[in-house]
């Protein structure tokens, strides 16, 4: 398999750095979203605030505040989903000019010479990242809408309201909101790693360096930023 990749303009170094990139991305996703360290992340802290928000929403007779919050969240998700489609279109268009771009890249300083096939693979690599991001944003958009419907179906506060049914709606709405938030986060995370992927056009060493920088930025923002400390102070 590696020999075939070399024939198409990808060296052994390229194979290794792409493997490193994917290992870092998958490993970070596991640590941030599924390991025991997840409880120290900003995503976990926000899940707790979602529960508080929707608990309060279930007790409000007029849910104008809650619908405004949902509208803001959905607007942000739809913006990135639309932007991702535009980026994908640009990358697909670039594939048609891969031969000309390969010549242009060969004259740029600091950039390793790359064949047309190698450049095509790099564009396809980025396209794959943004396709993944689009699916995450699309699912975040759908689950946010599901959450809005559940909130809209919450009955007004009443003395005879079934406590178990109320709590069940809160749990479901919180779960849907959390799912939307996590899908949105993974879409944004794909954008960060796509920035690292751009460094592959310069060369394998730059690709590794950019991947490490992106990883460090994500770790700080997820586990050690001022926002995390402030959210933990609300618990």
């Amino acid at each position: 398999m590696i020999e075939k990749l070399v024939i198409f303009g990808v060296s052994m170094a390229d194979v290794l750095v792409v493997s490193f990139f994917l290992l870092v991305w998958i490993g970070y996703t596991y640590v941030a979203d599924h390991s025991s360290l997840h409880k120290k992340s900003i995503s976990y802290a926000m899940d707790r605030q979602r529960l508080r928000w929707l608990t309060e929403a279930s007790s409000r007779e007029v849910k104008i505040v809650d619908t405004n919050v949902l509208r803001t969240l959905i607007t942000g998700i739809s913006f990135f989903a639309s932007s991702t489609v535009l980026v994908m279109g640009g990358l697909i268009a670039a594939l048609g000019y891969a031969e000309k771009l390969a010549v242009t890249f060969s004259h740029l300083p600091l950039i390793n010479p790359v064949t047309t096939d190698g450049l095509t693979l790099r564009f396809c690599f980025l396209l794959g990242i943004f396709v993944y991001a689009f699916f995450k944003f699309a699912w975040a958009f759908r689950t946010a809408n599901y959450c809005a419907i559940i909130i809209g179906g919450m009955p007004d506060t009443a003395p005879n309201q079934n406590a178990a049914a109320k709590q069940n709606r809160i749990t479901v709405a919180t779960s849907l909101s959390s799912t939307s938030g996590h899908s949105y986060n993974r879409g944004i995370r794909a954008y960060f790693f796509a920035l690292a992927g751009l460094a592959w056009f310069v060369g394998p060493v730059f690709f590794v360096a950019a991947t490490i920088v992106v990883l460090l930025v994500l770790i700080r923002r997820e586990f050690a930023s001022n926002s995390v400390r402030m959210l933990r102070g609300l618990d």
Side-chain angles (χ1 to χ4, degrees):
M1 181 63 180
I2 292 179
E3 292 178 354
K4 292 181 180 179
L5 288 174
V6 172
I7 291 174
F8 284 107
V10 178
S11 66
M12 179 65 73
D14 289 324
V15 174
L16 292 175
V17 296
V18 170
S19 300
F20 173 76
F21 171 86
L22 295 175
L23 182 63
V24 168
W25 189 353
I26 294 170
Y28 176 78
T29 299
Y30 172 78
V31 171
D33 297 345
H34 302 292
S35 73
S36 58
L37 291 176
H38 172 65
K39 291 186 177 180
K40 298 182 181 296
S41 69
I42 193 170
S43 299
Y44 180 80
M46 284 307 304
D47 284 343
R48 295 174 64 86
Q49 300 310 313
R50 286 188 178 93
L51 177 59
R52 291 183 177 182
W53 162 42
L54 292 166
T55 300
E56 290 295 326
S58 67
S59 301
R60 276 193 281 266
E61 293 186 5
V62 180
K63 297 179 175 60
I64 296 177
V65 173
D66 310 299
T67 55
N68 286 336
V69 171
L70 281 167
R71 186 181 298 112
T72 300
L73 294 174
I74 292 174
T75 299
I77 296 169
S78 61
F79 168 78
F80 274 101
S82 301
S83 299
T84 303
V85 172
L86 295 176
V87 173
M88 290 164 57
L91 289 171
I92 292 172
L95 288 172
Y97 295 92
E99 186 174 354
K100 294 181 180 179
L101 289 172
V103 176
T104 302
F105 271 68
S106 65
H107 292 90
L108 295 177
L110 300 178
I111 294 182
N112 292 343
V114 60
T115 65
T116 301
D117 289 335
L119 195 62
T120 299
L121 283 174
R122 284 161 172 76
F123 282 129
C124 289
F125 175 74
L126 287 177
L127 183 60
I129 293 176
F130 284 105
V131 168
Y132 169 86
F134 175 77
F135 274 102
K136 289 300 177 182
F137 288 132
W139 186 238
F141 185 86
R142 289 185 66 181
T143 49
N145 277 278
Y146 298 156
C147 179
I149 292 171
I150 298 299
I151 292 175
M154 286 180 177
D156 294 338
T157 302
N160 60 347
Q161 185 176 337
N162 188 301
K166 175 181 176 180
Q167 186 58 47
N168 186 49
R169 283 188 172 274
I170 293 172
T171 301
V172 172
T174 302
S175 178
L176 289 170
S177 180
S178 295
T179 298
S180 177
H182 289 303
S183 295
Y184 178 75
N185 287 341
R186 290 184 181 183
I188 294 293
R189 193 178 298 160
Y191 266 70
F192 276 90
F193 279 106
L195 293 177
L198 287 173
W200 192 17
F201 288 87
V202 182
V205 175
F206 288 93
F207 190 12
V208 170
T211 301
I212 293 173
V213 169
V214 167
L215 176 64
L216 293 175
V217 170
L218 289 174
I219 289 174
R220 182 188 177 280
R221 292 187 175 181
E222 189 72 31
F223 297 100
S225 64
N226 291 330
S227 299
V228 179
R229 287 191 286 271
M230 288 187 290
L231 286 169
R232 287 174 185 167
L234 295 176
D235 293 338

